Structures are given as C-alpha cells and as structure tokens.
Amino acid sequence: MTVRPILIAGDPRLTTPAVPVTVFDDELAAFVADLFETNTAAAGAGLAANQIGDPRAVFVYDLTDSGTRYRGHVVNPVLRTSGLPETMPHPEDDLEGCLSVPEEWFPTGRADRAEVTGVDMTGAPVTVTGTGYLARCLQHETDHLAGTLYLERLLGRNRRAARRMIKDRRWTVPGNSWLPGAADRAAGAQ
C-alpha cells in the first residue's frame, strides 16, 4: 500500500468526470488499498480516485457518525438523495471540508439522506445508505467523481470567500498537491 499525493483545487483532473471501471482485477484491489492508505494518512472521511490523479470512478470512505464507524468503497457509484435544502447552510452545523482544499471549511447545503449504488472491487453489487455525516460524505465523494468540488456548491458570501481563498493561496494553476504525512499540508507543496 502506498500513500499518494492529493491534488489541490485548481488541477483540471479534479474537474474532469471519472470514467467507469471495466476491469476488476488485482491492480484495482491494490489501488483501492492505496486509496484507503492515503485517506487514513490524511485523516479524511473519504477520498475519490481523481483526487490522486486517477480517472477511474471509485471512492473510499472511512468515518464515524453518531458512534458508528462506516468504512467501505464503491466502484461506478450512482447517487440518489432526498431533496436538497433551499435555505442557506447553517454556518456551523453544515461545515464541510475537502482533502483537495486543505485546511478550509465552508458551510455547504447537502441532502439529509443519500444512497449510493455501484459495485465493489470484485464487481459484486454494493448499496450504501446514510443520513447525517455519512450522507454528506457519499454526496461529496460522488460529486468528486462527477468533476465537482464542493466549492461549486457554495452560496453567496461563502462562494465569494472560497474564490478569494483560492486566489490568495495561488491554487489557480494545475499541479499543486500535498502528501499526507508531510510537514507542510497547508501550503500544498509537492
């Protein structure tokens, strides 16, 4: 298992939709193990393949919500949710972060319930259903695979603040990444 560098906002691979996985072999299993290893090293709740520069439609999740641990992976995910909120997200209760936007958190509106269907690394059917933090994570990771960073879901002043932050951090060019476990996570240095 290998910890891989995580791409930072501004890299076009993060906004390119993923391609469906068609080969289910030992290489895919090793790749999923690398995703888990990288996510763990980064102390993340989830990680999508394109966040480490791989175009395949696969993500992992590993989080605790209300005392229950949820850990797994989904290949070729399809998302269904309850309705999205029509109000501004709560400034504290709806905070969301992203390993590709290190050390930044913004209020993000998400559906209360989410279900992802797909397959696992062997091609066996998988369904993951969640509420709360798990639902947020499932939506966040499937967004990644659709080429959407959570910053695109921000509204009003939060969206303006995120755009300023991206500019101030000079995350407007491709190639910025950070390696989980490295000393300078926030700078996004390679």
Side-chain angles (χ1 to χ4, degrees), residues 87-92 105-107 151 153-165:
T87 59
M88 283 293 285
H90 190 277
E92 294 173 13
W105 297 82
F106 293 97
L151 301 176
R153 298 231 179 251
L154 301 179
L155 302 173
R157 66 181 171 275
N158 298 317
R159 183 172 223 158
R160 289 187 298 276
R163 286 182 178 159
R164 274 192 309 277
M165 177 273 304

Side-chain angles (χ1 to χ4, degrees), residues 52-75:
I52 60 171
D54 191 289
R56 290 178 282 188
V58 57
F59 72 82
V60 299
Y61 59 94
D62 189 352
L63 58 98
T64 300
D65 187 19
S66 300
T68 301
R69 184 175 184 199
Y70 300 93
R71 186 176 196 275
H73 69 281
V74 184
V75 178

Side-chain angles (χ1 to χ4, degrees), residues 5-9 11 99-104 165 169-180 182-190:
I6 297 174
L7 300 177
I8 293 177
D11 193 296
L99 296 176
S100 290
V101 186
E103 299 182 353
E104 296 292 339
M165 177 273 304
R169 289 192 173 213
R170 296 184 176 93
W171 290 349
T172 56
V173 296
N176 289 325
S177 66
W178 68 278
L179 184 63
D184 193 1
R185 175 178 170 170
Q190 286 188 313

Side-chain angles (χ1 to χ4, degrees), residues 16-38:
T16 302
V19 297
V21 173
T22 58
V23 177
F24 298 85
D25 58 7
D26 290 342
E27 191 280 327
L28 178 61
F31 177 69
V32 169
D34 286 355
L35 282 172
F36 274 117
E37 187 76 11
T38 303

Side-chain angles (χ1 to χ4, degrees), residues 73-92:
H73 69 281
V74 184
V75 178
N76 300 334
V78 175
L79 175 70
R80 288 190 329 207
T81 67
S82 59
L84 291 172
E86 295 182 19
T87 59
M88 283 293 285
H90 190 277
E92 294 173 13

Side-chain angles (χ1 to χ4, degrees), residues 111-170:
D112 292 332
R113 179 177 160 73
E115 178 183 85
V116 172
T117 57
V119 296
D120 68 11
M121 69 179 94
T122 68
V126 171
T127 299
V128 184
T129 303
T131 59
Y133 189 34
L134 177 58
R136 181 175 293 277
C137 179
L138 295 173
Q139 292 168 80
H140 183 104
E141 299 310 326
T142 55
D143 267 359
H144 269 299
L145 296 177
T148 302
L149 284 172
Y150 88 105
L151 301 176
E152 293 303 312
R153 298 231 179 251
L154 301 179
L155 302 173
R157 66 181 171 275
N158 298 317
R159 183 172 223 158
R160 289 187 298 276
R163 286 182 178 159
R164 274 192 309 277
M165 177 273 304
I166 293 286
K167 185 178 177 183
D168 291 348
R169 289 192 173 213
R170 296 184 176 93

